[in-house]
Structure formats: structure tokens, C-alpha cells
Amino acid sequence: MPTVSHDRNSLPVRSATILAPFSPTDAPSVARYSALVGGILYGISHRRTLMAEEHKHKAERAVHQREELIQQARKMWKEKQNPIKSSGIITNPEDPNFDLEKLIAKWEAESK
């Protein structure tokens, strides 16, 4: 229990045993836990940065893939619209002038 002392010119003062907030022996523990908390916060921040970059690159790859598919589809459409090649052989099987024997002969000539 705190004791009360009276000074002649001042108000009563209570004296109590107050523990110091940190003693010199607690400094390593404080530093250790501060470093631990700082490392955890840095790790969370760094992971968020990496995840944001990954999502950005993933979106860019998806856009690039779509562009490649569109270019490939345009190329295939042009080939379908113009089925006659420079050799004069029709490669479109839906064309009424399609000749399978000529196409096979052409493929055999190209493979040699």
C-alpha cells in the first residue's frame, strides 16, 4: 500500500514502487521481437507486391494469347477464302473441284 508523505510547501505526495517500463536486461528481447514483427510486416508487404506483379503478368499473357489466336484465325480465314495455292491444287475438301489423288501426290512430292 502506498504511503503518503506531507511536505510543508506542497501537496501530499504518494510514493509507490513503480516498475520501470524496461530494464536493461529486456533490451535484447525487445529488439528480437521488434525484428520479428518488422520481418513479418515486410514479408506480408513483399508477398502482396509479388502477387500483384504475377496478376499483372498473367493478364498480359492472356491478352497476348488472345491476340495470337485472333491472328491465327484471320490467317486461317484468308486461307479458307482463297483455297487455290500456287500449284493449282485445291486443298479444301468442301470444294466441288477437290481432287484427293492430286493432293496426295503433291504431299508425296513435298516430303521427298
Side-chain angles (χ1 to χ4, degrees):
M1 177 158 202
T3 60
V4 178
S5 64
H6 294 282
D7 203 7
R8 288 185 201 180
N9 299 328
S10 67
L11 296 172
V13 177
R14 294 183 182 209
S15 66
T17 53
I18 299 175
L19 296 176
F22 299 108
S23 67
T25 58
D26 291 337
S29 295
V30 171
R32 186 178 306 129
Y33 286 112
S34 296
L36 176 65
V37 170
I40 290 172
L41 294 176
Y42 171 77
I44 291 170
S45 172
H46 188 62
R47 180 182 166 100
R48 286 183 181 174
T49 302
L50 291 176
M51 294 299 288
E53 288 178 10
E54 181 182 348
H55 289 302
K56 178 182 170 186
H57 290 298
K58 195 176 204 181
E60 288 174 0
R61 282 192 303 261
V63 168
H64 182 68
Q65 181 69 21
R66 279 188 231 124
E67 289 174 354
E68 286 180 359
L69 288 174
I70 290 170
Q71 289 175 356
Q72 183 181 8
R74 286 179 180 165
K75 181 180 175 184
M76 296 299 288
W77 184 79
K78 285 181 182 179
E79 288 178 5
K80 186 175 180 182
Q81 296 299 320
N82 189 12
I84 299 176
K85 301 290 184 187
S86 61
S87 64
I89 296 177
I90 299 173
T91 59
N92 185 2
E94 297 175 359
D95 194 327
N97 297 327
F98 176 73
D99 188 5
L100 183 61
E101 292 176 7
K102 287 182 181 179
L103 183 61
I104 292 173
K106 177 186 171 204
W107 286 344
E108 286 177 354
E110 288 177 356
S111 66
K112 290 180 181 179

